[in-house]
Amino acid sequence: MEFQFQFDWQAAINAIPFLAKGIPYTLMISFGGLAIGFLLGILFGLLSINKNWFLRWPAITYIEIFRGTPILVQVLFIFYGLPDLIGAPIDPLTAGIAAIALNSGAYISEVVRGGVQSIDKGQNEAGLSLGLSRTQTFWSIIWPQAFRRMIPPLGNQAIVSIKDTSLFSVIGVGELVRQGQVYIASTFTAFEVYFVVALMYLAITLSLSLVLRLVERRGLASI
Amino acid sequence: MTQIVKMKGMNKHFGKLHVLKSIDLTVEQGEVVVIIGASGSGKSTLIRCVNGLEEYESGILEVDNHPLAPKAGNQKTLAEIRKGVGMVFQQFNLFPHLTVKKNIMLAPMKVKSASQVIANATAERLLERVGIGDQADKYPSQLSGGQQQRVAIARALAMEPKLMLFDEPTSALDPEMIGEVLDVMRELAKDGMTMMVVTHEMGFAREVADRVIYIHEGKIVEEGNPSEVFDNPQNERTQAFLSRVLAH
């Protein structure tokens, strides 16, 4: 029996327009989720290093729960589970954005914590000794320095989250992977389609890496 | 005479370690007090209590007529005190993300709501005064250690403090840069600034100090004008310390 596989370029090219419809969803879920996740990360990251135990423990609980459970379970819980609780359906796009936001928020909290704690305590002392309040010292001295150190790990998290959105095909959001699955169902060209899907992810993540590298170079120039 | 700093029976512990033992000390306006002692004797801790970077447990501390209670004290009092007390650190602690000029402008603008124009003029004047007017737009990392420490002094002076604290300002410097920093401090003293200086520079202490204080294991064991302390120390601890540091 002879079997020879031939990569069908034409099939791959034909799939592009249909697959490309998934890109806006992938980007919307990724960057919408990451934007909220960033705010959550700042909030909970700072709370997690607060001296006050009552502020600290809810933050740490949130971080541990969302870092310690799979994002697939999180999104299934939000999409299928939460509607039972609130008595109304949640649309897949919202569920996806929420899952990325909560999940990346937990990881970004740790990035924020690490960034802030990496700044020498002499910086804080210098600010206070000049008469700045704790808040002023934090936002005008500690945070700008911490943020620069946070850029590489934030970029890392963005790439992880973009790839995580591929799991959301299970809740039926028309993102890249979902589009691929739908297309393959009628053409049976799995190899070509997933190859193109992979290239599309790569195009997104590589452009992001490139942008981050430029930002990093400019941001770190002065330190 | 106005007393800028008044300490009475001040005690402080780091865990079990009793770092300051019943400290009595006053600093008059315009006075330069140099604090000497072995490392770990508590001399840095002593001046760090003055602007509340360290808390103390018991006793009395008054800075510029503001009583600062033990254990953190009142945040408002602390803020009030810090506005009038400048500090220069061993490691400079300049803000690396800001230019030299912005380092100096930050506190006047944030704390005293000085306008950009005023703060800028103050920064330029102070940079001239410490001899680095041409470095205003550089970042701290582009300067030598001696230059960085002079910026740190200018930064503290921008708040027009009544008292300057120096915590081993030359200990992190290469030997050839110590002189330029001491020169700036000497000028400050000459202009009548009230100063508390923790240092190992005995030559500077002898020349500039109005009063020298020797601390041993958290206690003031010797106090007097430089010639009394250096030429005729009464306490045997002081004698031993001085013979060790002055031997070379």
Side-chain angles (χ1 to χ4, degrees), chain B residues 80-221:
Chain B
E80 219 32 63
I81 289 175
R82 284 171 176 164
K83 267 187 231 173
V85 178
M87 188 164 200
V88 174
F89 301 87
Q90 183 176 350
Q91 300 295 340
F92 329 137
N93 296 345
L94 291 178
F95 308 133
H97 62 301
L98 301 176
T99 61
V100 162
K101 197 191 261 180
K102 291 268 166 63
N103 261 272
I104 300 172
M105 291 166 66
L106 182 71
M109 291 177 71
K110 294 270 177 197
V111 182
K112 291 185 164 174
S113 311
S115 71
Q116 177 111 21
V117 180
I118 301 279
N120 189 59
T122 307
E124 283 177 358
R125 177 172 55 79
L126 287 169
L127 281 171
E128 283 301 330
R129 182 167 169 193
V130 299
I132 36 177
D134 51 340
Q135 312 283 348
D137 296 319
K138 289 192 176 167
Y139 284 91
S141 60
Q142 296 170 292
L143 303 188
S144 72
Q147 289 173 326
Q148 290 190 48
Q149 193 61 300
R150 286 188 277 158
V151 173
I153 294 172
R155 181 177 68 176
L157 290 176
M159 290 296 288
E160 297 172 329
K162 291 186 174 171
L163 166 69
M164 284 283 283
L165 306 173
F166 291 87
D167 188 4
E168 301 201 28
T170 57
S171 297
L173 295 175
D174 291 336
E176 75 270 22
M177 292 170 185
I178 291 175
E180 63 193 60
V181 172
L182 293 181
D183 284 344
V184 171
M185 292 169 64
R186 208 172 274 130
E187 285 299 314
L188 267 182
K190 209 181 286 172
D191 293 346
M193 177 62 77
T194 313
M195 295 162 63
M196 289 178 82
V197 184
V198 169
T199 187
H200 293 289
E201 295 296 325
M202 296 303 154
F204 175 82
R206 184 189 280 272
E207 181 196 332
V208 180
D210 295 309
R211 192 147 45 105
V212 176
I213 286 170
Y214 173 68
I215 293 197
H216 180 77
E217 292 176 357
K219 254 186 139 80
I220 296 179
V221 299

Side-chain angles (χ1 to χ4, degrees), chain A residues 158-213:
Chain A
I159 287 170
V160 169
S161 290
I162 290 167
K163 295 185 296 180
D164 280 348
T165 61
S166 64
L167 295 166
F168 300 169
S169 53
V170 297
I171 59 167
V173 203
E175 46 70 66
L176 264 172
V177 170
R178 176 72 178 180
Q179 290 297 100
Q181 288 169 338
V182 171
Y183 191 78
I184 292 164
S186 55
T187 62
F188 307 105
T189 48
F191 191 96
E192 287 79 2
V193 170
Y194 283 130
F195 183 77
V196 175
V197 166
L199 283 184
M200 286 178 167
Y201 277 110
L202 204 55
I204 297 171
T205 54
L206 284 180
S207 339
L208 183 64
S209 294
L210 192 72
V211 171
L212 283 165
R213 213 152 283 180

Side-chain angles (χ1 to χ4, degrees), chain A residues 120-134 136 140-142 144-145 148 221-223, chain B residues 48 51 53 75 79 82-83 85-87 89 93-97 106-107 110-111 139 141 155-156 159:
Chain A
D120 185 76
K121 74 173 173 43
Q123 292 290 307
N124 196 43
E125 292 184 348
L128 295 178
S129 76
L130 284 166
L132 272 68
S133 68
R134 281 174 193 282
Q136 286 174 325
S140 49
I141 296 166
I142 310 296
Q145 296 182 58
R148 278 171 212 204
S222 57
I223 293 196
Chain B
R48 286 165 58 86
N51 67 348
L53 288 183
Q75 285 299 316
R82 284 171 176 164
K83 267 187 231 173
V85 178
M87 188 164 200
F89 301 87
N93 296 345
L94 291 178
F95 308 133
H97 62 301
L106 182 71
K110 294 270 177 197
V111 182
Y139 284 91
S141 60
R155 181 177 68 176
M159 290 296 288

